[in-house]
Amino acid sequence: MDLEGVISNNPIKRDSWKTVLTLAYQSLGVVYGDLSTSPLYVYKSTFAEDIRHSETNEEIYGVLSFVFWTLTLVPLVKYVFIVLRADDNGEGGTFALYSLLCRHARVNSLPNCQLADEELFEYKNDGSGKRDIGSSLKSTLEKHRVLQRLLLVLALIGTCMVIGDGVLTPALSVFSAVSGLELSIDASEQRRYVEVPVACAILVFLFALQHYGTHRVGFLFAPVVITWLFCISAIGVYNIFHWNPHVYQALSPYYMYKFLKKTQRGGWMSLGGILLCITGSEAMFADLGHFSQLSIQIAFTLVVYPSLILAYMGQAAYLSQHHVMDSHYHIGFYVSVPEKIRWPVLVIAILAAVVGSQAIITGTFSIIKQCSALGCFPRVKIVHTSSKIHGQIYIPEINWTLMLLCLAVTVGFRDTKRMGNASGLAVITVMLVTTCLMSLVMVLCWHKSVLLALCFIFFFGSIEALYFSASLIKFLEGAWVPIALSFIFMIIMYVWHYGTLKKYEFDVQNKVSMHWLLSLGPNLGIVRVRGIGLIHTELVSGIPAIFSHFVTNLPAFHQVLVFLCIKSVPVPHVRPKERFLVGRVGPKEYRVYRCIARYGYRDIHKDDLEFEKDLFCSIAELVRSEKLECTPRMDDSEDEKMTVVGTSSSNLDGVRLCEDNAGSSQKEGASSEVVEVITPQKPRKRVRFLVPESPRMDREAREELKELMEAREAGMAVIMGHSHVRAKRGSSFMKKLVINLGYDFLRRNSRGPTYALSIPHASTLEVGMVYEV
């Protein structure tokens, strides 16, 4: 699957109003599904136990005032007008902020970074040398590893809470939507036996459909959410004019003061329910890469925000005239819906809850892919479900894990109160992490004053800290769930990151010197057999220890050797024309090459056939470009000259690989100079390099290309290291626990490199080594 053309053209970033309005319409179904369903459970969670709805209406007016100002300050002011501007080349989310900081302050946790990576188009590190407080902060971060680790831990906490939200939000949204059945069933015990099974059935159905991809039914998402927003706003307007036209007075912040003064500790604890009105706000920033900043701003300010305000005002207007509370569910959403349209609204609410849950599930897949790309999560199987939309992926292991956890939360809690407590803590923790990272982005990336960053973190951090404290106090009433989930995922992430870092350090310390290679002579001291040996390594320079281990134990090796490193860089996308760094290892007659394939954390890895073509075309282009006196880029740790080479589809003027039947015609525009190898066993099969007409290559370069083509025709073997990582003798007990048990377990149960998974087993060799770290 090749989506590089779609990504590089980037149709999302056009400026025409037609495109912006189209994206705004589409964003309603992807971004705002979770946020728009929050009226289902906000009032019900707020009035669960901590406060009571009295005839003075001070409680309901105070809650409405809190909801209004929370929606105004956090999603509207903070996210729409400030945070959305902190995009990483159009991408958003917790790791986008962390990626920005990594590039501007050199605190990147990836061990295999090179100076050549900073020349990528999307790197955009301004490198300004002016001395200010921002530069002082930058140097402080670069000097102290403890601060770098704290920054990584902060990003991981936010990521883990997003994953926890991916468990809790589907359970809360679907269960709240299904709770509309309670008004049709009188006996409370019967409600319990109906709501939970129906909610579980919907959740199972939702997760079972994930592997089909959302693009098949995605066109229904926006109409469902728009219909839902129209319903709740229309019902809100009806309730306002029919029950209490003066409810708008509750928008005054004075009612927040009256609310807290009257309810005191109970009112403070009820803030955990009010907090749920902004669940899904983070999606505006996390899904920025699929849309544009302007389209998300238009959709929220003109459609979502007014609809939510009208919905909450309508519910408050109805409740202000109905004070009889026979049961807690009478304070819910459906009681304010006119009875004649209650069933249609119930159906639309369930559909909207499914759409909102779908968005958070897809977002969870995306952020786990980013974590895996940046070395903070074990490798998992990633399936791209759409050939046109690069953000739609499916991860089987994570999908079924989320489903089991969702079902466990639904069956275990069976009420919106404890689900709301759990979801609220996850949501507000992510927002706090975003606020902290944003303050650093303001100073380090935007070069704003520290005073402005302090004002930002103090103002929004104070609001979020208030809600955080109210959620944390509900620890025993459900808030322990996101903490437990985050703790588990945090351990997994940090153990994997620590083990990966130590393993790479071992590779660097034990790599073979160039002197050893040169001492073997042109034949490397052994018989060179036909074919290509593709050696997978994590090293970006030097000769990996597995190569010497292999050569020491086997008497023969391939005529062409390629040290392949597939690595991630802290940018969202790497342009196809900047994909490969290619160079030679040793003298030219050795026929040993190094190829570094660079991918961003949102990039899609090509399938094996396309990747192989691009790989060998890049090597052929290196052979040709050496005669053109191209300016090479020096590897930052070895005396190797590395040249940036694009993919075959992006480098139309370079060498191209062609495999077709002998009778087929040559492509239009192809070169007249062809390096051709015809297989004797397959006379109708012709494999050749198409080389540009000018400038013409000398005989030596043509011979090297021919030898490379003969080796490819003879076949390819992939050599991979099979490592057994162990802690050194004398290591601390904690290190032995982390490496020998934790990391070893994760390594044995994680996927191999993406490219190597599709290679036939007959062509794969594994070289076993013991790593003592």
Side-chain angles (χ1 to χ4, degrees), residues 113-135:
C113 291
Q114 298 170 281
L115 291 176
D117 297 338
E118 298 184 12
E119 300 178 15
L120 293 171
F121 176 78
E122 291 195 356
Y123 206 94
K124 290 182 181 178
N125 191 348
D126 54 11
S128 58
K130 60 182 181 179
R131 296 296 301 174
D132 55 8
I133 299 181
S135 61

mmCIF file of all heavy atoms in Angstrom, residues 113-135:
data_model
loop_
_atom_site.group_PDB
_atom_site.id
_atom_site.type_symbol
_atom_site.label_atom_id
_atom_site.label_comp_id
_atom_site.label_asym_id
_atom_site.label_seq_id
_atom_site.Cartn_x
_atom_site.Cartn_y
_atom_site.Cartn_z
ATOM 1 N N CYS A 113 19.725 9.170 16.381
ATOM 2 C CA CYS A 113 19.581 10.431 15.656
ATOM 3 C C CYS A 113 20.899 10.801 14.980
ATOM 4 O O CYS A 113 21.982 10.499 15.476
ATOM 5 C CB CYS A 113 19.150 11.546 16.595
ATOM 6 S SG CYS A 113 17.461 11.355 17.190
ATOM 7 N N GLN A 114 20.788 11.473 13.853
ATOM 8 C CA GLN A 114 21.943 11.932 13.097
ATOM 9 C C GLN A 114 21.790 13.415 12.778
ATOM 10 O O GLN A 114 20.678 13.962 12.761
ATOM 11 C CB GLN A 114 22.064 11.145 11.786
ATOM 12 C CG GLN A 114 22.283 9.650 11.977
ATOM 13 C CD GLN A 114 22.143 8.917 10.655
ATOM 14 O OE1 GLN A 114 21.048 8.656 10.199
ATOM 15 N NE2 GLN A 114 23.279 8.604 10.041
ATOM 16 N N LEU A 115 22.931 14.050 12.502
ATOM 17 C CA LEU A 115 22.885 15.454 12.102
ATOM 18 C C LEU A 115 22.139 15.628 10.779
ATOM 19 O O LEU A 115 21.503 16.651 10.542
ATOM 20 C CB LEU A 115 24.314 15.995 11.973
ATOM 21 C CG LEU A 115 25.098 16.145 13.281
ATOM 22 C CD1 LEU A 115 26.519 16.596 12.993
ATOM 23 C CD2 LEU A 115 24.402 17.117 14.226
ATOM 24 N N ALA A 116 22.217 14.610 9.917
ATOM 25 C CA ALA A 116 21.524 14.696 8.630
ATOM 26 C C ALA A 116 20.011 14.771 8.806
ATOM 27 O O ALA A 116 19.309 15.305 7.943
ATOM 28 C CB ALA A 116 21.888 13.491 7.760
ATOM 29 N N ASP A 117 19.486 14.252 9.916
ATOM 30 C CA ASP A 117 18.042 14.304 10.145
ATOM 31 C C ASP A 117 17.556 15.737 10.329
ATOM 32 O O ASP A 117 16.398 16.050 10.042
ATOM 33 C CB ASP A 117 17.672 13.472 11.378
ATOM 34 C CG ASP A 117 17.991 12.001 11.199
ATOM 35 O OD1 ASP A 117 18.092 11.567 10.037
ATOM 36 O OD2 ASP A 117 18.162 11.304 12.210
ATOM 37 N N GLU A 118 18.433 16.611 10.809
ATOM 38 C CA GLU A 118 18.034 17.992 11.032
ATOM 39 C C GLU A 118 17.883 18.767 9.729
ATOM 40 O O GLU A 118 17.376 19.884 9.731
ATOM 41 C CB GLU A 118 19.051 18.695 11.936
ATOM 42 C CG GLU A 118 19.165 18.067 13.314
ATOM 43 C CD GLU A 118 20.110 18.828 14.218
ATOM 44 O OE1 GLU A 118 20.490 19.957 13.862
ATOM 45 O OE2 GLU A 118 20.471 18.277 15.278
ATOM 46 N N GLU A 119 18.315 18.172 8.610
ATOM 47 C CA GLU A 119 18.150 18.812 7.318
ATOM 48 C C GLU A 119 16.848 18.436 6.640
ATOM 49 O O GLU A 119 16.568 18.906 5.536
ATOM 50 C CB GLU A 119 19.329 18.444 6.415
ATOM 51 C CG GLU A 119 20.681 18.875 6.973
ATOM 52 C CD GLU A 119 21.831 18.454 6.076
ATOM 53 O OE1 GLU A 119 21.571 18.087 4.908
ATOM 54 O OE2 GLU A 119 22.983 18.485 6.531
ATOM 55 N N LEU A 120 16.033 17.584 7.288
ATOM 56 C CA LEU A 120 14.739 17.227 6.726
ATOM 57 C C LEU A 120 13.840 18.451 6.639
ATOM 58 O O LEU A 120 13.922 19.372 7.458
ATOM 59 C CB LEU A 120 14.070 16.149 7.590
ATOM 60 C CG LEU A 120 14.746 14.776 7.592
ATOM 61 C CD1 LEU A 120 14.119 13.887 8.649
ATOM 62 C CD2 LEU A 120 14.629 14.125 6.216
ATOM 63 N N PHE A 121 12.968 18.444 5.651
ATOM 64 C CA PHE A 121 12.122 19.610 5.395
ATOM 65 C C PHE A 121 11.240 19.940 6.592
ATOM 66 O O PHE A 121 11.049 21.099 6.945
ATOM 67 C CB PHE A 121 11.251 19.349 4.164
ATOM 68 C CG PHE A 121 10.275 20.448 3.874
ATOM 69 C CD1 PHE A 121 10.677 21.617 3.253
ATOM 70 C CD2 PHE A 121 8.938 20.324 4.239
ATOM 71 C CE1 PHE A 121 9.790 22.634 2.999
ATOM 72 C CE2 PHE A 121 8.029 21.333 3.988
ATOM 73 C CZ PHE A 121 8.462 22.498 3.361
ATOM 74 N N GLU A 122 10.673 18.916 7.241
ATOM 75 C CA GLU A 122 9.729 19.152 8.327
ATOM 76 C C GLU A 122 10.408 19.336 9.678
ATOM 77 O O GLU A 122 9.725 19.507 10.688
ATOM 78 C CB GLU A 122 8.709 18.008 8.413
ATOM 79 C CG GLU A 122 7.751 17.970 7.238
ATOM 80 C CD GLU A 122 6.547 17.091 7.498
ATOM 81 O OE1 GLU A 122 6.505 16.456 8.571
ATOM 82 O OE2 GLU A 122 5.657 17.034 6.626
ATOM 83 N N TYR A 123 11.730 19.268 9.706
ATOM 84 C CA TYR A 123 12.417 19.451 10.989
ATOM 85 C C TYR A 123 12.277 20.896 11.465
ATOM 86 O O TYR A 123 11.891 21.162 12.600
ATOM 87 C CB TYR A 123 13.896 19.078 10.845
ATOM 88 C CG TYR A 123 14.527 18.634 12.135
ATOM 89 C CD1 TYR A 123 14.588 17.291 12.459
ATOM 90 C CD2 TYR A 123 15.054 19.548 13.037
ATOM 91 C CE1 TYR A 123 15.162 16.866 13.642
ATOM 92 C CE2 TYR A 123 15.629 19.141 14.220
ATOM 93 C CZ TYR A 123 15.679 17.796 14.519
ATOM 94 O OH TYR A 123 16.242 17.390 15.696
ATOM 95 N N LYS A 124 12.589 21.855 10.603
ATOM 96 C CA LYS A 124 12.329 23.281 10.846
ATOM 97 C C LYS A 124 12.819 23.758 12.207
ATOM 98 O O LYS A 124 12.097 24.405 12.953
ATOM 99 C CB LYS A 124 10.833 23.592 10.725
ATOM 100 C CG LYS A 124 10.309 23.509 9.313
ATOM 101 C CD LYS A 124 8.847 23.884 9.246
ATOM 102 C CE LYS A 124 8.320 23.786 7.840
ATOM 103 N NZ LYS A 124 6.881 24.094 7.763
ATOM 104 N N ASN A 125 13.996 23.403 12.560
ATOM 105 C CA ASN A 125 14.589 23.933 13.800
ATOM 106 C C ASN A 125 15.290 25.239 13.449
ATOM 107 O O ASN A 125 16.278 25.253 12.734
ATOM 108 C CB ASN A 125 15.593 22.933 14.383
ATOM 109 C CG ASN A 125 16.014 23.309 15.788
ATOM 110 O OD1 ASN A 125 15.747 24.412 16.255
ATOM 111 N ND2 ASN A 125 16.662 22.382 16.463
ATOM 112 N N ASP A 126 14.746 26.337 13.951
ATOM 113 C CA ASP A 126 15.267 27.634 13.543
ATOM 114 C C ASP A 126 16.685 27.877 14.018
ATOM 115 O O ASP A 126 17.414 28.683 13.477
ATOM 116 C CB ASP A 126 14.359 28.772 14.025
ATOM 117 C CG ASP A 126 14.089 28.718 15.525
ATOM 118 O OD1 ASP A 126 14.765 27.938 16.212
ATOM 119 O OD2 ASP A 126 13.210 29.452 15.996
ATOM 120 N N GLY A 127 17.104 27.202 15.087
ATOM 121 C CA GLY A 127 18.472 27.297 15.553
ATOM 122 C C GLY A 127 18.929 28.709 15.871
ATOM 123 O O GLY A 127 20.092 29.047 15.742
ATOM 124 N N SER A 128 17.999 29.553 16.287
ATOM 125 C CA SER A 128 18.378 30.932 16.599
ATOM 126 C C SER A 128 19.314 30.962 17.796
ATOM 127 O O SER A 128 19.082 30.313 18.798
ATOM 128 C CB SER A 128 17.125 31.763 16.898
ATOM 129 O OG SER A 128 16.410 31.195 17.962
ATOM 130 N N GLY A 129 20.371 31.731 17.676
ATOM 131 C CA GLY A 129 21.384 31.740 18.717
ATOM 132 C C GLY A 129 21.266 32.899 19.681
ATOM 133 O O GLY A 129 22.186 33.126 20.456
ATOM 134 N N LYS A 130 20.164 33.620 19.638
ATOM 135 C CA LYS A 130 20.065 34.775 20.524
ATOM 136 C C LYS A 130 19.941 34.319 21.971
ATOM 137 O O LYS A 130 19.297 33.332 22.281
ATOM 138 C CB LYS A 130 18.861 35.639 20.129
ATOM 139 C CG LYS A 130 17.522 34.903 20.193
ATOM 140 C CD LYS A 130 16.390 35.815 19.737
ATOM 141 C CE LYS A 130 15.049 35.104 19.814
ATOM 142 N NZ LYS A 130 13.941 35.975 19.390
ATOM 143 N N ARG A 131 20.538 35.062 22.833
ATOM 144 C CA ARG A 131 20.548 34.715 24.238
ATOM 145 C C ARG A 131 19.324 35.310 24.922
ATOM 146 O O ARG A 131 19.108 36.510 24.934
ATOM 147 C CB ARG A 131 21.802 35.271 24.914
ATOM 148 C CG ARG A 131 23.099 34.674 24.389
ATOM 149 C CD ARG A 131 23.194 33.201 24.676
ATOM 150 N NE ARG A 131 23.113 32.942 26.095
ATOM 151 C CZ ARG A 131 23.058 31.726 26.623
ATOM 152 N NH1 ARG A 131 23.026 30.666 25.842
ATOM 153 N NH2 ARG A 131 23.010 31.570 27.932
ATOM 154 N N ASP A 132 18.481 34.466 25.418
ATOM 155 C CA ASP A 132 17.339 34.900 26.200
ATOM 156 C C ASP A 132 17.039 33.807 27.215
ATOM 157 O O ASP A 132 17.758 32.826 27.325
ATOM 158 C CB ASP A 132 16.124 35.200 25.313
ATOM 159 C CG ASP A 132 15.757 34.009 24.439
ATOM 160 O OD1 ASP A 132 16.343 32.919 24.643
ATOM 161 O OD2 ASP A 132 14.894 34.161 23.567
ATOM 162 N N ILE A 133 15.941 34.002 27.945
ATOM 163 C CA ILE A 133 15.593 33.000 28.956
ATOM 164 C C ILE A 133 15.243 31.673 28.291
ATOM 165 O O ILE A 133 15.504 30.596 28.831
ATOM 166 C CB ILE A 133 14.427 33.527 29.814
ATOM 167 C CG1 ILE A 133 14.856 34.816 30.524
ATOM 168 C CG2 ILE A 133 13.991 32.479 30.826
ATOM 169 C CD1 ILE A 133 13.796 35.411 31.419
ATOM 170 N N GLY A 134 14.659 31.755 27.071
ATOM 171 C CA GLY A 134 14.334 30.528 26.356
ATOM 172 C C GLY A 134 15.569 29.714 26.028
ATOM 173 O O GLY A 134 15.580 28.490 26.180
ATOM 174 N N SER A 135 16.639 30.373 25.577
ATOM 175 C CA SER A 135 17.880 29.648 25.280
ATOM 176 C C SER A 135 18.514 29.092 26.537
ATOM 177 O O SER A 135 19.135 28.025 26.519
ATOM 178 C CB SER A 135 18.853 30.571 24.555
ATOM 179 O OG SER A 135 19.189 31.678 25.362
#
